[in-house]
Amino acid sequence: ESDADLGNHELRLLTAWRSDNPKLLKGYDRETVYQLTENDWHYLELMPNYLYEPEIGTVIVHGGFLPHIPWQTQDVDLITSIQVIDKKGRATKRSNAPNASPWADHWHGEPFVIYGHTPRPNVLERPGSIGIDTGCVYGGHLTAYIIEEKTLVQVRAHNTYAHSKRLP
């Protein structure tokens, strides 16, 4: 069993591998595919869609959830890709709806959600969630949330490994 939840990159790799369709991959995925061993593929296949800790009322997910649908029933494509909710109430990426509000602005219920996927210069704290993607790959920080203490630990990236239109 995996101790990490499935994200959009892992999902894309697995979908291409399972369907034997390399056209689903992005250019930068190809190097990764050649490096993965049989054990690595097995690990990816075992990754759960989310990690749920009922005793503390917390779920850890890559992207997030739509608020009007039971979170446990939401499709893996949605929960690994959602960033904002558009005017029609649909989950989408920020690039598709630049003026839409973050899904976390609409999430008011249980469980508490810890998520990434949407890089920002700072952590996004809401009453029902915390977004901890602070753009490490873009030269920002790697952020961890210590659940027991409700505190953050951050380490600045050593380099800028990729560039973003959204982050300085």
Side-chain angles (χ1 to χ4, degrees):
E1 187 172 317
S2 173
D3 58 356
D5 61 281
L6 193 69
N8 57 308
H9 293 268
E10 294 85 6
L11 183 60
R12 184 175 57 247
L13 290 171
L14 280 171
T15 302
W17 182 64
R18 289 173 179 154
S19 65
D20 196 25
N21 186 356
K23 291 179 183 169
L24 298 174
L25 299 171
K26 294 194 175 187
Y28 57 79
D29 290 331
R30 297 183 194 289
E31 185 178 344
T32 302
V33 168
Y34 293 124
Q35 293 174 359
L36 293 176
T37 66
E38 188 174 328
N39 284 342
D40 296 329
W41 287 110
H42 184 66
Y43 179 85
L44 291 176
E45 285 191 298
L46 292 177
M47 292 178 82
N49 295 351
Y50 52 80
L51 301 171
Y52 179 49
E53 299 293 335
E55 60 280 352
I56 57 172
T58 300
V59 65
I60 301 164
V61 68
H62 183 74
F65 300 107
L66 279 172
H68 56 278
I69 301 170
W71 65 270
Q72 306 94 324
T73 67
Q74 295 187 40
D75 181 82
V76 67
D77 290 313
L78 185 150
I79 68 173
T80 59
S81 66
I82 187 173
Q83 291 181 316
V84 298
I85 298 176
D86 69 14
K87 291 177 185 173
K88 295 182 179 177
R90 296 177 302 203
T92 191
K93 299 188 312 186
R94 284 188 298 194
S95 57
N96 294 339
N99 297 320
S101 58
W103 70 268
D105 287 356
H106 306 270
W107 184 262
H108 304 296
E110 292 288 324
F112 183 78
V113 180
I114 303 168
Y115 67 98
H117 184 63
T118 305
R120 296 180 175 88
N122 300 300
V123 168
L124 184 65
E125 292 189 68
R126 295 292 183 263
S129 66
I130 188 164
I132 61 171
D133 186 339
T134 47
C136 184
V137 72
Y138 303 118
H141 290 86
L142 179 63
T143 300
Y145 181 69
I146 302 171
I147 296 172
E148 297 82 3
E149 300 171 14
K150 296 185 170 137
T151 60
L152 296 165
V153 176
Q154 291 189 311
V155 177
R156 179 164 276 300
H158 290 285
N159 290 303
T160 298
Y161 303 93
H163 295 280
S164 167
K165 298 173 196 152
R166 298 196 166 274
L167 295 174

